[in-house]
Amino acid sequence: MRHRSQEPQWDPARQISVDHHSPVPLYFQVASQIEEAIASGALPVGARLDNEIELAGNLGLSRPTIRQAIGSLVDKGLVVRKRGAGTQVVFNRVKRSLELSSLYDDLSGIDQHPTTRVLTNELCHPPEEAARALGLSEEDEVLHLERVRYARGEPIARLRNYLPASLITPTDEDLTDRGLYQLLRAAGIHLHAAQQTIGARTAADDEAELLDEPAGAALLTMQRITHDHTGAIVEFGTHVYRASRYSFDLTLRGDT
């Protein structure tokens, strides 16, 4: 009896199609289809690709073309070349839609097995930016949280949050086991709306070390001010994400 479960879910040699008449470079056509398969999970972490000679022969392309395609995926951190083991998928870039959800919930929803390292969990006086965002004075007390979030064991983001001190009193274990929004909802807080700003900058030395990136690597930034159903501000977040491992998805609609 044939066991279909042992067959590869997605075989580049059979499922990549190239258009020699297209203005899109051949290497890019190959790389983009492999990247789509990684993003969809059809090529999961740990999956191996045929070697360059076999892949080139099966697709009817030159070996330099395949080498360039694989090289572009290596540069994005999606695959690695391993001596004696060929090319292997090492990471599926996390794509996050812009919704009022936490990173922990989003990673759990796409089977990325989120884990957390708690750096700071303390009551303190807020810095000026946080006080202004929360509508408090710098003499008020806030809950200051800093964490590193991991997906499948790889660091994805450094999360920094400030909340009014009276909302929740999480332990480090709470913050390790659950997402911040889960804790807020468990405390009866109904998250209603948020203002969010997305940007980019390079990593400082300490951020690069935390996120396993070289100093000066590109980071995505996100600031969020979240309101509950009464309009009260319940959170100010300022986070940085590895641009090599993470992206935001937006849906834009035209006139109807």
Side-chain angles (χ1 to χ4, degrees):
M1 181 175 182
R2 192 176 183 182
H3 297 285
R4 295 184 58 86
S5 62
Q6 294 177 354
E7 298 177 354
Q9 290 180 295
W10 194 88
D11 180 2
R14 291 189 293 110
Q15 294 175 268
I16 288 177
S17 61
V18 294
D19 182 355
H20 291 267
H21 301 291
S22 171
V24 179
L26 294 173
Y27 89 88
F28 187 83
Q29 293 183 46
V30 173
S32 61
Q33 290 176 69
I34 295 175
E35 184 171 354
E36 287 173 7
I38 294 172
S40 70
L43 273 176
V45 173
R48 287 182 171 82
L49 306 181
D50 292 340
N51 66 48
E52 293 176 0
I53 296 175
E54 292 174 341
L55 196 53
N58 287 327
L59 295 176
L61 298 172
S62 69
R63 187 176 178 184
T65 296
I66 297 299
R67 185 182 299 116
Q68 188 175 8
I70 299 300
S72 69
L73 298 172
V74 171
D75 290 342
K76 290 183 177 182
L78 298 175
V79 303
V80 293
R81 293 186 176 102
K82 294 186 175 182
R83 186 179 299 276
T87 301
Q88 186 173 9
V89 177
V90 292
F91 200 78
N92 180 353
R93 177 192 287 260
V94 175
K95 293 186 177 182
R96 183 180 182 186
S97 60
L98 291 182
E99 299 176 354
L100 186 49
S101 59
S102 72
L103 178 57
Y104 189 95
D105 292 338
D106 290 339
L107 293 174
S108 296
I110 57 174
D111 197 30
Q112 290 292 325
H113 306 295
T115 53
T116 304
R117 174 186 170 195
V118 178
L119 304 176
T120 303
N121 177 12
E122 65 179 6
L123 294 173
C124 67
H125 298 300
E128 180 182 0
E129 181 184 34
R132 184 170 60 250
L134 292 170
L136 302 173
S137 78
E138 293 179 56
E139 301 304 315
D140 288 319
E141 200 169 52
V142 298
L143 175 63
H144 171 209
L145 306 174
E146 289 199 38
R147 293 149 293 151
V148 178
R149 185 80 80 220
Y150 297 79
R152 292 185 177 273
E154 284 211 46
I156 293 294
R158 189 222 65 204
L159 311 174
R160 178 180 290 139
N161 299 83
Y162 295 92
L163 298 83
S166 59
L167 288 183
I168 56 174
T169 55
T171 65
D172 285 1
E173 183 177 359
D174 292 332
L175 295 167
T176 299
D177 294 341
R178 305 173 70 184
L180 177 59
Y181 283 10
Q182 290 180 342
L183 296 172
L184 287 170
R185 291 185 176 109
I189 297 164
H190 303 284
L191 305 174
H192 176 67
Q195 297 90 44
Q196 185 162 280
T197 302
I198 297 171
R201 61 174 174 80
T202 57
D205 289 348
D206 61 330
E207 293 169 331
E209 183 176 356
L210 283 172
L211 298 176
D212 195 23
E213 290 279 3
L219 299 177
L220 294 171
T221 65
M222 188 269 280
Q223 286 193 352
R224 177 184 284 184
I225 299 173
T226 305
H227 301 257
D228 68 8
H229 68 291
T230 70
I233 297 172
V234 296
E235 174 217 12
F236 172 59
T238 173
H239 311 324
V240 292
Y241 303 83
R242 298 175 70 182
S244 63
R245 297 289 188 269
Y246 194 90
S247 64
F248 291 99
D249 275 357
L250 299 88
T251 299
L252 305 177
R253 293 182 172 84
D255 296 335
T256 58

